[in-house]
Amino acid sequence: MTPVSSHSPHGQSPLRTVQVLGGGNAGSSAHVRSLAAGLVARGVKVTVCAPSDAECTYDFTGTGAEHVHVPRSSDPVSVAALRAVCADADLVHAHGLHASFRAVLALGGRRVRTPLVVTWHDRAYAEGARAHLLRALERRVMKAATVVLGTTSGLVDGARRTGARDARLGPVAFPVRPGDPAGPEDPDRLRPKLRAELGAVERPLLVAVGSLEGHRGYDVLLDAARVWRRLDPAPLVVIAGEGPLRAQLQGRIESEGLPVLLAGRRDDVPDLLAAADLALLPARRETGRSVLAQEALHARVPLVAAGVGGIPELVGDAAELVSDGDAQGLADAVVRLLGDPGRRDELRARGVRQAATWPTEDETVAQVLSVYDELTQPTPLL
């Protein structure tokens, strides 16, 4: 039986919530869509404030929620638009640092305090002066939020250190991407076609996914690929993603003759993973719940990852973990796995068991709704 919000029975009006989303992160966008669907099903009125391109990709209105276009910018026009939407809300729930900062600005100065829940999916990264700005934004958001839900234990601890009054571990269900992927039930449906398209018909296929930025650790991945090019056949490494380091990475690939393909943005990541022999996550930092790690284990693809941030907590013993920045360790782990079908099968089985421990969509919505009710229900007089 699906529980409903305690605001719905006995003639009370439905709980009115506003979900604020920046729209730039696949994990948080998928989470908001899942959350909106579950909340609407439980009688909660949901308005999603997000850029129009996020609505086009994730179809929030298809869940029964209302969508209002609010740009990613924190300029006065965007903040005023968000303030107007939040005027009648019982509770505002923001996802990610920049969306949360806009929510703080929109709710500031109101005579009636509207509870603000912040889900911290990942810690924004920058260097130099921008890093100082991001840390200042974090402190502002953490201190203003009524409750902070961190997606990992590390983020919860970080929220408390940054000034959060109430920080808790917040469940996030497996982030299903839009579309109709092959999925683990039919892993071979598109495998031959995709492998032929990528040029990996008779060679191992290794897949990494993520923006081409420094913290992704692709320099370490290219260093490891120098070892793999001596194998026969040499594995093909496919990196799905775009970013500012494309020219630099492509230059290394060409000058060093590395078996690496920069595939750009792909809208078929689940199918791409299903076609892979191994998934690679060489990230130098991964404070949140890695979408790639979850998708790899869910698709029964053996994963080799740097054991940084929230990765060990997320994958348990269901992946090969290597030290941050250890190109030789990454190369050796891949060579061992490619030569050991039994170990790959063991990791697949462990991945299924580990994925079964992650929160379901129902569990995620139920816990979030319990937080909402805690913050909006009148306190009984003793």
Side-chain angles (χ1 to χ4, degrees):
M1 179 177 177
T2 300
V4 295
S5 168
S6 55
H7 284 245
S8 298
H10 312 303
Q12 297 183 33
S13 60
L15 182 68
R16 298 163 299 178
T17 70
V18 173
Q19 306 288 323
V20 186
L21 179 67
N25 180 283
S28 57
S29 299
H31 174 60
V32 169
R33 190 189 196 283
S34 171
L35 195 56
L39 291 172
V40 169
R42 289 160 173 78
V44 177
K45 182 178 180 181
V46 178
T47 300
V48 178
C49 292
S52 293
D53 57 347
E55 163 64 14
C56 291
T57 302
Y58 290 91
D59 186 25
F60 303 115
T61 54
T63 68
E66 178 185 359
H67 169 255
V68 175
H69 169 66
V70 175
R72 292 182 177 88
S73 170
S74 294
D75 61 63
V77 174
S78 297
V79 172
L82 182 56
R83 181 179 294 118
V85 178
C86 295
D88 296 325
D90 296 308
L91 179 143
V92 175
H93 189 166
H95 302 262
L97 177 60
H98 295 288
S100 299
F101 180 65
R102 284 194 292 278
V104 169
L105 294 178
L107 294 176
R110 299 185 64 182
R111 287 179 296 176
V112 178
R113 179 172 173 79
T114 302
L116 173 62
V117 177
V118 167
T119 292
W120 208 6
H121 293 267
D122 196 0
R123 194 171 193 196
Y125 176 79
E127 297 178 349
R130 180 166 170 75
H132 292 294
L133 173 61
L134 289 177
R135 301 294 83 83
L137 293 183
E138 284 178 357
R139 288 192 294 271
R140 176 79 179 274
V141 167
M142 295 300 124
K143 291 177 180 178
T146 313
V147 171
V148 177
L149 300 176
T151 59
T152 68
S153 299
L155 287 173
V156 173
D157 292 340
R160 290 170 179 159
R161 289 194 302 269
T162 312
R165 292 170 292 166
D166 186 341
R168 315 175 189 182
L169 189 62
V172 175
F174 171 69
V176 179
R177 294 176 186 259
D180 183 24
E185 296 80 12
D186 187 11
D188 296 324
R189 180 165 64 89
L190 298 178
R191 185 180 176 94
K193 179 177 181 294
L194 272 174
R195 292 180 71 99
E197 172 195 324
L198 297 168
V201 175
E202 297 181 353
R203 61 196 298 197
L205 175 62
L206 317 180
V207 171
V209 181
S211 57
L212 306 184
E213 299 178 88
H215 69 276
R216 297 290 185 180
Y218 292 138
D219 56 334
V220 178
L221 181 53
L222 296 194
D223 289 342
R226 297 177 66 179
V227 176
W228 302 329
R229 68 183 176 181
R230 297 195 294 267
L231 300 178
D232 185 21
L236 174 64
V237 181
V238 172
I239 302 175
E242 274 297 349
L245 294 185
R246 168 175 271 278
Q248 179 180 327
L249 295 173
Q250 188 63 47
R252 275 199 63 185
I253 291 167
E254 294 175 1
S255 65
E256 300 175 31
L258 302 177
V260 179
L261 171 66
L262 300 182
R265 289 190 180 89
R266 304 277 302 204
D267 58 5
D268 60 346
V269 168
D271 291 329
L272 188 62
L273 281 172
D277 295 289
L278 300 176
L280 307 179
L281 183 60
R284 294 186 179 279
R285 50 169 293 276
E286 193 75 48
T287 54
R289 294 175 66 87
S290 166
V291 173
L292 174 63
Q294 292 177 80
E295 289 183 318
L297 268 59
H298 189 262
R300 303 182 75 250
V301 179
L303 172 68
V304 181
V308 298
I311 293 297
E313 177 183 351
L314 179 65
V315 303
D317 64 355
E320 290 280 353
L321 299 182
V322 300
S323 299
D324 172 27
D326 185 1
Q328 188 62 52
L330 176 62
D332 291 346
V334 167
V335 171
R336 285 197 306 271
L337 278 178
L338 290 178
D340 190 346
R343 174 60 176 164
R344 296 200 302 273
D345 287 342
E346 179 184 4
L347 287 178
R348 292 187 184 99
R350 289 183 176 184
V352 171
R353 292 195 295 270
Q354 183 67 15
T357 69
W358 298 336
T360 65
E361 288 187 306
D362 278 347
E363 291 167 344
T364 298
V365 174
Q367 181 166 332
V368 169
L369 188 56
S370 72
V371 173
Y372 290 1
D373 283 346
E374 173 189 334
L375 299 180
T376 58
Q377 288 290 330
T379 303
L381 298 176
L382 297 179

